[in-house]
Amino acid sequence: MQVSVRDNNVDQALRALKKKLQREGVFREMRLKEAFEKPSEKKTRQAKEAVNRQRKLARKKAERDG
């Protein structure tokens, strides 16, 4: 990942880097790997995330279709 620093504005470049990392899911992945997660907990978390993704997709589709 690469962020260019323009006009010696490091703060702006740092904000852009954080935004890119957030979009890629790096922070979320780091938080998940901080501690061991039991396989059963991992499976339930992934199932819950899948349900949430499907609901979000359905909401967006319903909003788009009217």
Side-chain angles (χ1 to χ4, degrees):
M1 192 167 299
Q2 201 172 30
V3 176
S4 59
V5 178
R6 295 184 217 138
D7 301 328
N8 287 331
N9 195 347
V10 178
D11 293 333
Q12 185 179 8
L14 196 61
R15 260 187 271 131
L17 177 66
K18 285 182 181 178
K19 191 179 284 188
K20 281 186 178 184
L21 290 172
Q22 182 72 32
R23 224 178 284 135
E24 292 291 321
V26 174
F27 292 126
R28 186 175 178 281
E29 191 175 318
M30 284 175 17
R31 193 179 71 240
L32 285 173
K33 291 188 177 191
E34 279 180 356
F36 178 74
E37 186 177 23
K38 287 174 31 179
S40 60
E41 292 173 350
K42 185 176 180 180
K43 195 182 295 184
T44 54
R45 178 183 52 80
Q46 287 176 340
K48 193 169 151 183
E49 288 173 356
V51 167
N52 289 341
R53 275 194 308 273
Q54 291 299 321
R55 284 185 182 155
K56 184 177 180 181
L57 193 71
R59 270 196 316 268
K60 283 188 174 185
K61 187 176 180 185
E63 188 177 298
R64 188 176 56 233
D65 292 342

